[in-house]
């Protein structure tokens, strides 16, 4: 093969690879739009009247996750099944966002931490790498950490809405979450940086709880239990 033929062949391979990336990009854009719609629905719970509508908002979010599953099914067809990590960079961010949205939805429904398996089920993807398109453990953890920031905001807005018990429950949950992350030996730099932000979420929520205690509201809510 001549040098010219060799580079012509290389150009063909590069072009084919670029076509795959462009197809992936198109589907990811649609996924991002659906994720924004879910976020819009869920963030409405931060409004004073939103706390009464949490079940309805979660139901609406669940409906939108049906669209997410359809888009992901389309994404799976855009690249060879054995090249997940070759193209992972294209959907890493949106998968983390979807993991966060799934985690936040489950928390609002049950006030518990969603498992990686539950997130994978909501998105209709795998957990085990060898089975194909899957939820990487680091993407799951990143989603959980994004949720922690959202809960710190929810704790503040709960007080504004006159819900004084919710910040106490959020504080207990976040402290338990922080204890769990302390058990991990995180070496992934982006994930480590996200985890470093968790201590600020813990501090922010503790300040809310402290303020409730100073004002005597925490004691009142404890007495109501």
């Amino acid at each position: 093969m001549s040098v010219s033929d060799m580079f012509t062949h290389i150009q063909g391979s590069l072009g084919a690879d670029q076509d795959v990336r462009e197809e992936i990009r198109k589907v990811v854009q649609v996924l991002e739009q659906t994720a924004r719609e879910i976020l819009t629905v869920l963030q409405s719970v931060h409004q004073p009247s939103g706390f009464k509508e949490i079940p309805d908002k979660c139901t609406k979010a669940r409906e939108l996750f049906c669209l997410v599953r359809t888009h992901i099914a389309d994404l799976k067809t855009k690249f060879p099944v054995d090249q997940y990590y070759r193209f992972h960079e294209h959907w890493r961010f949106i998968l983390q966002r979807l993991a966060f949205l799934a985690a936040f939805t489950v928390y609002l429904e049950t006030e518990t931490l969603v498992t990686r398996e539950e997130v994978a089920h909501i998105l209709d993807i795998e957990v085990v790498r060898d089975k194909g398109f899957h939820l990487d453990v680091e993407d799951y953890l990143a989603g959980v950490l994004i949720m922690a920031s959202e809960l710190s905001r929810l704790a503040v807005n709960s007080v504004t809405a006159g819900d004084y018990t919710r910040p106490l429950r959020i504080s207990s949950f976040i402290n338990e979450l922080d204890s769990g992350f302390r058990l991990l030996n995180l070496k992934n730099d982006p994930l480590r940086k996200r985890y470093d932000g968790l201590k600020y979420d813990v501090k922010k929520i503790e300040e809310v709880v402290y303020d409730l205690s100073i004002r005597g509201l925490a004691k009142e809510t404890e007495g109501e239990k």
Side-chain angles (χ1 to χ4, degrees):
M1 181 182 293
S2 67
V3 172
S4 178
D5 290 340
M6 185 183 303
F7 275 86
T8 298
H9 176 72
I10 291 173
Q11 176 56 37
S13 298
L14 291 174
D17 187 73
Q18 185 58 38
D19 289 342
V20 171
R21 293 180 185 277
E22 180 61 23
E23 288 299 310
I24 291 174
R25 187 186 66 80
K26 291 177 181 177
V27 181
V28 168
Q29 284 183 328
V30 178
L31 270 172
E32 289 172 343
Q33 176 58 39
T34 305
R36 284 193 291 269
E37 293 176 15
I38 297 174
L39 182 61
T40 298
V41 169
L42 294 179
Q43 286 198 328
S44 63
V45 303
H46 291 290
Q47 303 299 321
S49 61
F51 291 92
K52 299 177 182 179
E53 302 172 354
I54 284 178
D56 292 338
K57 300 302 181 183
C58 290
T59 298
K60 178 62 177 177
R62 290 277 187 176
E63 292 172 356
L64 288 170
F65 273 115
C66 292
L67 286 177
V68 169
R69 289 192 286 273
T70 299
H71 300 326
I72 289 180
D74 186 25
L75 178 60
K76 293 175 184 177
T77 68
K78 303 302 182 183
F79 65 97
V81 66
D82 61 343
Q83 295 185 17
Y84 177 93
Y85 282 106
R86 182 180 181 186
F87 301 103
H88 180 227
E89 63 186 83
H90 293 286
W91 59 73
R92 175 189 290 137
F93 175 75
I94 185 57
L95 206 56
Q96 291 176 358
R97 297 291 292 177
L98 290 170
F100 146 60
L101 294 170
F104 191 39
T105 299
V106 170
Y107 179 83
L108 290 173
E109 292 172 336
T110 64
E111 296 192 1
T112 60
L113 176 62
V114 71
T115 66
R116 183 180 167 209
E117 288 75 14
E118 286 176 305
V119 175
H121 177 72
I122 291 172
L123 303 181
D124 194 23
I125 58 179
E126 303 294 338
V127 174
V128 180
R129 177 186 303 186
D130 294 341
K131 291 186 177 181
F133 196 98
H134 63 283
L135 179 62
D136 187 280
V137 65
E138 292 180 349
D139 290 337
Y140 160 72
L141 292 174
V144 169
L145 288 170
I146 297 172
M147 178 194 64
S149 295
E150 195 71 18
L151 289 181
S152 69
R153 179 186 172 198
L154 187 64
V156 174
N157 291 327
S158 297
V159 177
T160 304
D163 185 345
Y164 304 129
T165 61
R166 191 178 299 273
L168 303 180
R169 300 196 302 273
I170 291 176
S171 177
S172 176
F173 175 81
I174 291 296
N175 275 291
E176 189 174 356
L177 189 64
D178 182 48
S179 296
F181 269 95
R182 289 178 185 276
L183 297 175
L184 305 178
N185 181 21
L186 298 176
K187 296 181 179 179
N188 176 297
D189 287 341
L191 189 60
R192 178 71 197 187
K193 289 178 181 178
R194 280 195 181 277
Y195 169 62
D196 288 342
L198 181 59
K199 61 185 177 183
Y200 296 107
D201 296 322
V202 171
K203 181 179 179 181
K204 183 176 180 180
I205 297 170
E206 286 178 344
E207 288 174 350
V208 173
V209 173
Y210 176 75
D211 185 58
L212 288 173
S213 300
I214 292 297
R215 292 159 59 188
L217 296 173
K219 293 181 179 179
E220 290 177 17
T221 54
E222 289 174 357
E224 292 171 2
K225 293 182 179 181

